[in-house]
Short mmCIF file of all heavy atoms in Angstrom, two decimals:
data_model
loop_
_atom_site.label_atom_id
_atom_site.label_comp_id
_atom_site.label_asym_id
_atom_site.label_seq_id
_atom_site.Cartn_x
_atom_site.Cartn_y
_atom_site.Cartn_z
N VAL A 213 -4.62 -17.23 -19.65
CA VAL A 213 -6.03 -17.52 -19.27
C VAL A 213 -6.12 -18.05 -17.82
O VAL A 213 -7.11 -17.68 -17.10
CB VAL A 213 -6.66 -18.53 -20.30
CG1 VAL A 213 -6.21 -19.95 -20.01
CG2 VAL A 213 -8.14 -18.40 -20.37
N LEU A 216 -6.02 -14.83 -15.68
CA LEU A 216 -7.31 -14.13 -15.70
C LEU A 216 -8.34 -14.87 -14.83
O LEU A 216 -9.04 -14.18 -14.02
CB LEU A 216 -7.80 -14.02 -17.10
CG LEU A 216 -9.21 -13.38 -17.33
CD1 LEU A 216 -9.14 -11.93 -16.86
CD2 LEU A 216 -9.60 -13.49 -18.85
N GLU A 217 -8.38 -16.19 -14.94
CA GLU A 217 -9.45 -16.90 -14.14
C GLU A 217 -9.10 -16.81 -12.64
O GLU A 217 -10.01 -16.68 -11.89
CB GLU A 217 -9.46 -18.31 -14.64
CG GLU A 217 -10.11 -18.48 -16.01
CD GLU A 217 -10.15 -19.93 -16.41
OE1 GLU A 217 -9.87 -20.91 -15.70
OE2 GLU A 217 -10.65 -20.13 -17.59
N MET A 220 -10.09 -13.41 -11.41
CA MET A 220 -11.52 -13.24 -11.25
C MET A 220 -12.06 -14.00 -10.00
O MET A 220 -12.87 -13.49 -9.29
CB MET A 220 -12.22 -13.80 -12.51
CG MET A 220 -12.10 -12.74 -13.76
SD MET A 220 -13.05 -13.39 -15.12
CE MET A 220 -14.78 -13.15 -14.58
N ARG A 221 -11.41 -15.20 -9.68
CA ARG A 221 -11.85 -15.86 -8.43
C ARG A 221 -11.50 -14.98 -7.28
O ARG A 221 -12.33 -14.85 -6.32
CB ARG A 221 -10.99 -17.18 -8.30
CG ARG A 221 -11.56 -18.25 -9.15
CD ARG A 221 -10.88 -19.60 -8.86
NE ARG A 221 -11.19 -20.57 -9.78
CZ ARG A 221 -10.63 -20.79 -10.95
NH1 ARG A 221 -9.53 -20.13 -11.24
NH2 ARG A 221 -11.01 -21.69 -11.85
N LEU A 271 -7.55 -17.31 -26.75
CA LEU A 271 -8.24 -18.17 -25.85
C LEU A 271 -9.48 -17.52 -25.25
O LEU A 271 -10.45 -18.17 -24.79
CB LEU A 271 -7.34 -18.54 -24.68
CG LEU A 271 -6.10 -19.35 -25.09
CD1 LEU A 271 -5.20 -19.55 -23.96
CD2 LEU A 271 -6.43 -20.67 -25.68
N ILE A 272 -9.56 -16.23 -25.25
CA ILE A 272 -10.73 -15.43 -24.73
C ILE A 272 -11.28 -14.61 -25.84
O ILE A 272 -10.59 -14.03 -26.69
CB ILE A 272 -10.29 -14.53 -23.56
CG1 ILE A 272 -9.68 -15.32 -22.35
CG2 ILE A 272 -11.44 -13.63 -23.08
CD1 ILE A 272 -10.78 -16.30 -21.70
N ARG A 273 -12.66 -14.59 -25.87
CA ARG A 273 -13.35 -13.84 -26.96
C ARG A 273 -12.80 -12.37 -27.11
O ARG A 273 -12.58 -11.72 -26.12
CB ARG A 273 -14.77 -13.80 -26.64
CG ARG A 273 -15.47 -15.15 -26.64
CD ARG A 273 -16.83 -15.14 -26.10
NE ARG A 273 -17.59 -13.93 -26.51
CZ ARG A 273 -18.88 -13.78 -26.42
NH1 ARG A 273 -19.61 -14.80 -26.04
NH2 ARG A 273 -19.52 -12.69 -26.76
N ILE A 276 -14.83 -9.13 -25.48
CA ILE A 276 -14.88 -8.95 -24.07
C ILE A 276 -13.95 -7.73 -23.74
O ILE A 276 -12.80 -7.69 -24.24
CB ILE A 276 -14.40 -10.18 -23.28
CG1 ILE A 276 -15.30 -11.39 -23.68
CG2 ILE A 276 -14.43 -9.90 -21.80
CD1 ILE A 276 -16.75 -11.18 -23.32
N PHE A 284 -18.73 -9.03 -14.48
CA PHE A 284 -18.90 -10.42 -14.18
C PHE A 284 -18.49 -10.79 -12.72
O PHE A 284 -19.22 -11.40 -11.96
CB PHE A 284 -18.14 -11.32 -15.12
CG PHE A 284 -18.67 -11.38 -16.52
CD1 PHE A 284 -17.75 -11.25 -17.61
CD2 PHE A 284 -20.02 -11.38 -16.82
CE1 PHE A 284 -18.25 -11.24 -18.91
CE2 PHE A 284 -20.46 -11.37 -18.10
CZ PHE A 284 -19.60 -11.27 -19.13
N ILE A 288 -21.10 -11.77 -9.70
CA ILE A 288 -21.05 -13.08 -9.05
C ILE A 288 -20.90 -12.89 -7.53
O ILE A 288 -21.48 -13.57 -6.74
CB ILE A 288 -20.04 -13.95 -9.69
CG1 ILE A 288 -20.44 -14.32 -11.14
CG2 ILE A 288 -19.74 -15.24 -8.86
CD1 ILE A 288 -19.34 -15.07 -11.94
N ASP A 300 -18.13 -20.88 -7.27
CA ASP A 300 -17.26 -21.57 -8.15
C ASP A 300 -18.09 -22.09 -9.40
O ASP A 300 -17.55 -22.02 -10.50
CB ASP A 300 -16.62 -22.80 -7.51
CG ASP A 300 -15.47 -22.45 -6.55
OD1 ASP A 300 -14.92 -21.34 -6.81
OD2 ASP A 300 -15.15 -23.15 -5.73
N ARG A 301 -19.31 -22.54 -9.22
CA ARG A 301 -20.10 -22.96 -10.35
C ARG A 301 -20.44 -21.81 -11.29
O ARG A 301 -20.30 -21.90 -12.50
CB ARG A 301 -21.40 -23.65 -9.84
CG ARG A 301 -22.26 -24.17 -10.94
CD ARG A 301 -23.44 -24.96 -10.42
NE ARG A 301 -24.19 -24.39 -9.37
CZ ARG A 301 -25.19 -23.53 -9.59
NH1 ARG A 301 -25.54 -23.13 -10.78
NH2 ARG A 301 -25.86 -23.07 -8.58
N LEU A 302 -20.79 -20.64 -10.68
CA LEU A 302 -21.10 -19.48 -11.57
C LEU A 302 -19.78 -18.94 -12.27
O LEU A 302 -19.92 -18.54 -13.44
CB LEU A 302 -21.74 -18.33 -10.69
CG LEU A 302 -23.05 -18.69 -10.12
CD1 LEU A 302 -23.62 -17.46 -9.29
CD2 LEU A 302 -24.09 -19.04 -11.26
N LEU A 303 -18.72 -19.09 -11.60
CA LEU A 303 -17.45 -18.71 -12.29
C LEU A 303 -17.10 -19.66 -13.41
O LEU A 303 -16.69 -19.20 -14.46
CB LEU A 303 -16.30 -18.70 -11.29
CG LEU A 303 -16.18 -17.37 -10.49
CD1 LEU A 303 -15.28 -17.61 -9.24
CD2 LEU A 303 -15.69 -16.22 -11.32
N ALA A 304 -17.39 -20.92 -13.24
CA ALA A 304 -17.17 -21.91 -14.30
C ALA A 304 -17.94 -21.67 -15.53
O ALA A 304 -17.52 -21.65 -16.62
CB ALA A 304 -17.35 -23.35 -13.82
N VAL A 305 -19.26 -21.26 -15.30
CA VAL A 305 -20.12 -20.92 -16.45
C VAL A 305 -19.69 -19.62 -17.10
O VAL A 305 -19.58 -19.58 -18.33
CB VAL A 305 -21.57 -20.75 -15.91
CG1 VAL A 305 -22.50 -20.24 -16.97
CG2 VAL A 305 -22.09 -22.12 -15.40
N THR A 306 -19.26 -18.66 -16.34
CA THR A 306 -18.65 -17.40 -16.88
C THR A 306 -17.47 -17.67 -17.70
O THR A 306 -17.32 -17.16 -18.76
CB THR A 306 -18.41 -16.44 -15.69
OG1 THR A 306 -19.59 -16.19 -15.01
CG2 THR A 306 -17.86 -15.07 -16.23
N PHE A 307 -16.50 -18.48 -17.22
CA PHE A 307 -15.31 -18.76 -17.87
C PHE A 307 -15.62 -19.49 -19.19
O PHE A 307 -14.98 -19.21 -20.26
CB PHE A 307 -14.32 -19.69 -17.08
CG PHE A 307 -13.77 -19.02 -15.80
CD1 PHE A 307 -13.56 -19.76 -14.68
CD2 PHE A 307 -13.63 -17.67 -15.75
CE1 PHE A 307 -13.11 -19.17 -13.54
CE2 PHE A 307 -13.10 -17.07 -14.56
CZ PHE A 307 -12.83 -17.89 -13.46
N ASP A 308 -16.53 -20.38 -19.19
CA ASP A 308 -16.95 -21.04 -20.47
C ASP A 308 -17.43 -20.05 -21.48
O ASP A 308 -17.14 -20.10 -22.65
CB ASP A 308 -18.07 -22.06 -20.15
CG ASP A 308 -17.55 -23.34 -19.46
OD1 ASP A 308 -16.26 -23.54 -19.49
OD2 ASP A 308 -18.39 -24.13 -18.99
N GLY A 309 -18.23 -19.09 -20.99
CA GLY A 309 -18.76 -18.02 -21.89
C GLY A 309 -17.63 -17.00 -22.36
O GLY A 309 -17.77 -16.44 -23.48
N LEU A 310 -16.57 -16.88 -21.64
CA LEU A 310 -15.52 -15.97 -21.99
C LEU A 310 -14.58 -16.58 -23.05
O LEU A 310 -13.98 -15.90 -23.87
CB LEU A 310 -14.63 -15.59 -20.80
CG LEU A 310 -15.32 -14.66 -19.76
CD1 LEU A 310 -14.41 -14.48 -18.56
CD2 LEU A 310 -15.76 -13.30 -20.37
N ARG A 311 -14.49 -17.92 -22.96
CA ARG A 311 -13.49 -18.63 -23.85
C ARG A 311 -13.98 -18.58 -25.30
O ARG A 311 -15.16 -18.67 -25.57
CB ARG A 311 -13.35 -20.09 -23.35
CG ARG A 311 -12.55 -20.20 -22.17
CD ARG A 311 -12.12 -21.61 -22.00
NE ARG A 311 -11.35 -21.80 -20.77
CZ ARG A 311 -11.74 -22.02 -19.56
NH1 ARG A 311 -13.10 -22.18 -19.34
NH2 ARG A 311 -10.98 -22.13 -18.48
N VAL A 312 -13.03 -18.64 -26.21
CA VAL A 312 -13.33 -18.81 -27.62
C VAL A 312 -13.82 -20.18 -27.77
O VAL A 312 -13.28 -21.17 -27.17
CB VAL A 312 -12.04 -18.53 -28.43
CG1 VAL A 312 -12.28 -18.96 -29.91
CG2 VAL A 312 -11.63 -17.11 -28.33
N ALA A 313 -14.91 -20.30 -28.53
CA ALA A 313 -15.55 -21.62 -28.77
C ALA A 313 -14.47 -22.61 -29.14
O ALA A 313 -13.68 -22.42 -30.01
CB ALA A 313 -16.67 -21.61 -29.76
N GLY A 314 -14.57 -23.77 -28.47
CA GLY A 314 -13.62 -24.93 -28.93
C GLY A 314 -12.20 -24.79 -28.32
O GLY A 314 -11.38 -25.63 -28.66
N ARG A 315 -11.94 -23.79 -27.47
CA ARG A 315 -10.56 -23.55 -27.03
C ARG A 315 -10.51 -23.91 -25.54
O ARG A 315 -10.96 -23.59 -24.69
CB ARG A 315 -10.10 -22.18 -27.21
CG ARG A 315 -9.98 -21.68 -28.66
CD ARG A 315 -9.03 -22.25 -29.61
NE ARG A 315 -7.68 -22.33 -29.08
CZ ARG A 315 -6.75 -21.56 -29.53
NH1 ARG A 315 -6.92 -20.56 -30.36
NH2 ARG A 315 -5.44 -21.75 -29.16
#
Side-chain angles (χ1 to χ4, degrees):
V213 79
L216 176 63
E217 289 182 6
M220 285 184 70
R221 280 188 191 88
L271 300 171
I272 298 293
R273 293 169 39 162
I276 301 300
F284 291 135
I288 292 169
D300 283 340
R301 184 171 47 84
L302 294 180
L303 278 164
V305 171
T306 301
F307 296 147
D308 287 345
L310 292 174
R311 286 192 178 92
V312 170
R315 300 292 310 256

